[in-house]
Amino acid sequence: MDQTGRFPGWYVVGGAGFGIAFGSAVFLSSSFALLAAALGKQFGWSQSELAKAASIFLLMQMLTSPLCGWALDRWGSRKIAVLSIALFGISLFILSRIGPSLTQFYLGFVVLGGASVGTNVISYARAITNWFNRRRGLALGCAAAGQAVGAFTMPLVLQKVIATYGWSDALVALAAFELVICLPVVALLIKDSPRPYGLHPDGDVQGRQEAGTVTPAAPLRQAGASAREILRSANFWKLAIAFLVIGMSFYALITNVAFILTKSAGLTLGQVSTVLALSGVAVLVGRVGFGYLIDMIHAPYIAVLSLLLSVVFYALDATSTSFSILVIAAMIGGISIGGESDLLPFLASRYFGKDAVSQVFGWFLVAFYIGAAIGPVAFAKLSEAYNGPSVPLFVLVGLQIIPAIMFLSLGDYYSEPRELSTQPAA
């Protein structure tokens, strides 16, 4: 404990939340559209040409996530996060120097997507897993809530700089922020483990019974399970399938939400922006709320609750044209999305142990991104075939039974060996 009695693990959560808030995933989801609009206006590039850069970015993130996970399990969160933030800042500066060449633009996003994967949740999950056991879900949820904070602040500031100085200077300013502000904060606050400080997870004293770990039914029993052992585990493939469907469902909806709300429900763009803003607030609530719940209740049951909220969300969007109902639906959907985002690192740590959490998380992200690549195109084609989004929305409702079955068949958590130490907690 520090001199004020606070458990230092919460400083790690704060540093993780700050890094996640201004990571590359938030940049793509909240600010790419602003950058694309400015570039399209200056260079005359079409929407489809600009959109390819986002696809390239996601492809690179998918390819590099397993490598990043392996590096995190080998060298720890702090080193990889700091290195990734530095590379992200340098990549943003390189991107700011491109001319009227689509090839340069696409190559810039190849570098950006590949170099910046460690600026996101995956880098911090291992450190938080080491610092927390009983309150791991809450800690992960609080850190991941940084995405909502960044998604609110980054586009506002970036748009103002773009309008005043231009897109190139806006990217330089963001690069400088990453290198001068974000990198030192993360380097200062992120600590890989409580052990060097004579502490135990959650600040527990030596020998306290750790809640949330039970004797497992799963075959993985030794910390540091090899990649071969993990890939042979039925639970690994169950979770991979579940996250693939979740990624497909999420991106199918989020990339087509303007079409759904304007063409089918008849909302104005102003009303759509209101719906999206309230959904973003609900994501923040979902991340913290579900993070708290998965510490109290067996996480697969909470995962099913999140899926049920998603079903309500899809069904309301498919059947209602009322603005007030659609606002409620968006908030329910935001809460469910927040819950699903907490599950990836939490379940990776609970079913495969702390030593492999980053590597497993990286593989789960691959499954999630594969689904994300399938969902938008499949949804659009079904909408065209059935003259509207109602049928594909009900398809999404039906698909949620797949991850529900996967979650409910997981069984008990993996139980890690108790950590023994002769040093009492400070």
Side-chain angles (χ1 to χ4, degrees):
M1 302 293 178
D2 67 13
Q3 293 181 350
T4 63
R6 296 188 186 95
F7 177 52
W10 291 111
Y11 296 121
V12 177
V13 172
F18 191 86
I20 292 167
F22 302 102
S24 63
V26 173
F27 168 76
L28 183 76
S29 62
S30 70
S31 301
F32 173 79
L34 301 175
L35 176 65
L39 286 164
K41 183 177 180 180
Q42 180 171 337
F43 298 136
W45 297 337
S46 69
Q47 182 180 357
S48 61
E49 289 172 330
L50 292 162
K52 288 178 183 178
S55 298
I56 290 170
F57 177 93
L58 289 171
L59 175 63
M60 292 305 300
Q61 295 263 293
M62 181 186 75
L63 293 175
T64 53
S65 289
L67 178 62
C68 181
W70 172 82
L72 284 160
D73 286 334
R74 186 176 179 87
W75 290 295
S77 293
R78 185 174 181 270
K79 290 180 180 178
I80 301 302
V82 167
L83 175 62
S84 294
I85 292 170
L87 293 176
F88 183 36
I90 294 169
S91 301
L92 288 168
F93 179 79
I94 292 172
L95 188 62
S96 74
R97 302 294 96 188
I98 67 167
S101 166
L102 275 172
T103 301
Q104 290 182 7
F105 182 54
Y106 294 151
L107 287 175
F109 270 84
V110 168
V111 175
L112 193 70
S116 65
V117 65
T119 63
N120 302 315
V121 177
I122 185 173
S123 269
Y124 306 99
R126 181 176 178 83
I128 292 174
T129 296
N130 286 332
W131 278 93
F132 293 90
N133 182 48
R134 290 178 295 104
R135 293 176 287 182
R136 186 179 297 170
L138 178 61
L140 287 167
C142 290
Q147 286 183 330
V149 176
F152 178 78
T153 57
M154 190 184 292
L156 294 177
V157 176
L158 204 65
Q159 176 56 34
K160 188 169 184 178
V161 178
I162 290 174
T164 306
Y165 300 103
W167 63 268
S168 180
D169 286 344
L171 287 176
V172 171
L174 182 57
F177 176 84
E178 293 289 336
L179 295 172
V180 177
I181 304 296
C182 196
L183 189 152
V185 169
V186 169
L188 177 65
L189 295 179
I190 297 300
K191 311 296 181 186
D192 288 306
S193 172
R195 284 190 205 172
Y197 308 97
L199 299 171
H200 296 269
D202 300 302
D204 288 344
V205 297
Q206 182 181 2
R208 174 170 175 169
Q209 178 65 40
E210 296 180 341
T213 52
V214 296
T215 303
L220 294 177
R221 290 185 178 270
Q222 295 187 3
S226 68
R228 181 176 295 181
E229 289 173 316
I230 293 170
L231 291 174
R232 286 177 176 175
S233 166
N235 280 344
F236 172 84
W237 292 105
K238 290 174 184 178
L239 287 168
I241 292 169
F243 290 130
L244 185 148
V245 175
I246 289 172
M248 180 173 62
S249 303
F250 171 69
Y251 276 95
L253 186 73
I254 200 66
T255 56
N256 293 283
V257 66
F259 165 75
I260 295 169
L261 297 180
T262 57
K263 301 297 183 183
S264 179
L267 270 58
T268 66
L269 289 177
Q271 289 175 317
V272 171
S273 65
T274 300
V275 169
L276 293 177
L278 292 172
S279 176
V281 173
V283 169
L284 179 63
V285 174
R287 283 185 172 146
V288 177
F290 273 93
Y292 173 79
L293 287 175
I294 58 180
D295 286 331
M296 309 296 292
I297 303 170
H298 194 48
Y301 300 152
I302 302 302
V304 173
L305 173 61
S306 178
L307 293 172
L308 290 175
L309 291 176
S310 296
V311 166
V312 174
F313 175 36
Y314 302 143
L316 289 176
D317 272 3
T319 58
S320 179
T321 58
S322 166
F323 175 66
S324 58
I325 296 296
L326 291 171
V327 165
I328 294 171
M331 295 181 71
I332 292 172
I335 292 171
S336 71
I337 291 166
E340 289 165 356
S341 66
D342 287 351
L343 290 168
L344 273 80
F346 186 87
L347 291 174
S349 68
R350 287 304 190 203
Y351 281 99
F352 302 97
K354 293 190 294 185
D355 289 349
V357 61
S358 298
Q359 189 175 12
V360 176
F361 188 12
W363 288 334
F364 287 163
L365 283 176
V366 171
F368 186 87
Y369 283 134
I370 291 173
I374 297 170
V377 177
F379 190 96
K381 288 187 176 296
L382 281 175
S383 296
E384 292 173 358
Y386 290 94
N387 197 30
S390 294
V391 170
L393 283 168
F394 279 118
V395 170
L396 292 181
V397 168
L399 280 175
Q400 303 318 300
I401 195 172
I402 297 174
I405 292 172
M406 298 296 104
F407 287 134
L408 291 175
S409 64
L410 287 172
D412 291 330
Y413 295 148
Y414 158 72
S415 181
E416 298 183 60
R418 293 286 305 279
E419 295 181 6
L420 298 178
S421 172
T422 58
Q423 302 181 56

